[in-house]
Amino acid sequence: MRKTLATLLLLSLILCLLSGCNGIGNYYRIDVTGDKDSLMKPIKSHYQVGATVEIKAHPVTDVSLHVFVNGEEIPMIHFDSDYWGFEFVMPEENVTVHLTYDNFYGKEEYVFDDLCSLNFLMSEITKVSVRTTDYREKYSFIETRYSSCQGDIDNFKEIIEEKLIKADNNVASDAICGGEYSFYYDTESHGERAETLRFNDNFFTWSDFSSWQAFKFEDENYVLPTIENPDLITYSFRYDGRSSDVRRYDDESFSIDFFGIGSVEFIPYEGEPIEASLPFYLDSGYGKINLLSPTVFELNGECYEIISGAETWAYKYCNLGGK
């Protein structure tokens, strides 16, 4: 009889441990899901209530490991080249430990403050701008509209009041228009500063050095604001990753690599005709850009004047005035 009773008690204990019930010794089960390969050693299947569960993971470059215990993220307590460490106290219930490198796991609704810096809200915004890129035409100009109108400033500030939800990156990748919404403010130490919210169509794009995630507005009817009556409209070249070589019409052997074509803003030239016949031009994806002066160039029969970034433009950057 005693042997039978002992056997039954042992079987009861084993069944209790396997099922995770609140039985002898007060043990509960742990299930591990997600990126299990990140663990340096497996987590035991059962722990006693009140015990400290230690999780050690391999350190990985350029990503962050997130650990969730029954849906709640726990903080990393050890961050070094030897291992990444997490721990929690075993509760009086079964536990699921989820390991993931997804920065946005477990949460659907976001505000802009979750995803980017909003330091401009701490200062008086003096102007705003929207920089628009048409992805359908590789060699179209980028247009930037500036406004210091309070109505436009208020419309831009309303963007960050909207809630966001995760979107399909593949859908966002098919966007036809890119929009950069910038907020300008003055600082005592650095003068005028700007912070920018970047969108593809109506998708907000978050990125770091190794990944990106698209978000869409929770309100499907919300449309990003435009600037209808800008103080100024400028244009820029799209940089295609290749050199726009500086060449001479009178010397086929002359060539200087130039990669800064996207660093300037320009407007249609309205000054007196420039009679100087300089021999230099940029051999670019846009065609031949004739360099008429340090700040004026001609493309497809139209003249333009650089109003921002002239110090990085080909004429000065390549010291063409001395050649």
Side-chain angles (χ1 to χ4, degrees), residues 154-189:
D154 291 341
N155 288 339
F156 273 46
K157 289 172 68 174
E158 287 178 359
I159 297 173
I160 61 175
E161 297 178 5
E162 296 293 322
K163 291 182 171 59
L164 301 165
I165 56 177
K166 288 173 65 175
D168 186 336
N169 281 2
N170 292 325
V171 175
S173 296
D174 293 333
I176 63 175
C177 181
E180 299 181 14
Y181 286 73
S182 296
F183 300 78
Y184 299 82
Y185 57 96
D186 294 323
T187 66
E188 293 184 2
S189 56

Side-chain angles (χ1 to χ4, degrees), residues 48-285:
Q48 190 173 25
V49 174
T52 298
V53 181
E54 185 178 31
I55 301 171
K56 288 187 176 181
H58 298 286
V60 183
T61 304
D62 294 344
V63 294
S64 296
L65 179 65
H66 303 272
V67 177
F68 291 81
V69 176
N70 283 353
E72 296 293 329
E73 186 171 8
I74 62 174
M76 185 182 295
I77 62 169
H78 182 86
F79 178 79
D80 213 331
S81 59
D82 53 349
Y83 71 94
W84 290 348
F86 305 81
E87 65 178 34
F88 66 95
V89 176
M90 189 67 185
E92 195 173 349
E93 62 181 346
N94 293 332
V95 164
T96 296
V97 174
H98 184 73
L99 311 167
T100 180
Y101 294 104
D102 182 354
N103 290 291
F104 305 104
Y105 173 81
K107 185 176 179 180
E108 291 300 324
E109 186 181 85
Y110 295 83
V111 294
F112 278 92
D113 198 31
D114 295 327
L115 306 172
C116 60
S117 167
L118 300 177
N119 291 331
F120 59 86
L121 292 178
M122 306 292 290
S123 305
E124 181 180 357
I125 300 170
T126 57
K127 66 180 179 183
V128 292
S129 71
V130 56
R131 178 182 170 96
T132 304
T133 303
D134 187 342
Y135 296 135
R136 295 168 296 183
E137 299 184 35
K138 185 175 182 179
Y139 293 110
S140 61
F141 288 161
I142 298 171
E143 180 190 86
T144 303
R145 291 175 167 241
Y146 293 89
S147 175
S148 56
C149 172
Q150 189 60 48
D152 290 324
I153 293 173
D154 291 341
N155 288 339
F156 273 46
K157 289 172 68 174
E158 287 178 359
I159 297 173
I160 61 175
E161 297 178 5
E162 296 293 322
K163 291 182 171 59
L164 301 165
I165 56 177
K166 288 173 65 175
D168 186 336
N169 281 2
N170 292 325
V171 175
S173 296
D174 293 333
I176 63 175
C177 181
E180 299 181 14
Y181 286 73
S182 296
F183 300 78
Y184 299 82
Y185 57 96
D186 294 323
T187 66
E188 293 184 2
S189 56
H190 296 92
E192 185 177 73
R193 300 293 296 271
E195 293 182 31
T196 301
L197 304 177
R198 292 176 173 82
F199 296 86
N200 288 313
D201 287 346
N202 234 36
F203 296 99
F204 176 73
T205 51
W206 172 94
S207 64
D208 62 10
F209 43 78
S210 62
S211 62
W212 72 286
Q213 177 62 52
F215 294 84
K216 61 183 179 180
F217 291 105
E218 188 174 55
D219 180 0
E220 296 181 354
N221 296 317
Y222 179 77
V223 178
L224 287 164
T226 58
I227 297 177
E228 297 299 330
N229 298 297
D231 302 330
L232 174 68
I233 299 177
T234 69
Y235 302 95
S236 305
F237 294 111
R238 291 179 62 183
Y239 175 53
D240 61 5
R242 299 183 297 178
S243 170
S244 296
D245 299 335
V246 181
R247 298 187 181 274
R248 293 181 67 117
Y249 284 109
D250 57 359
D251 184 356
E252 292 183 358
S253 66
F254 184 89
S255 181
I256 302 176
D257 293 343
F258 179 65
F259 295 93
I261 191 171
S263 64
V264 297
E265 289 182 77
F266 50 88
I267 59 176
Y269 177 67
E270 298 180 352
E272 294 294 325
I274 297 177
E275 298 180 359
S277 56
L278 295 177
F280 302 106
Y281 68 92
L282 284 179
D283 187 9
S284 76

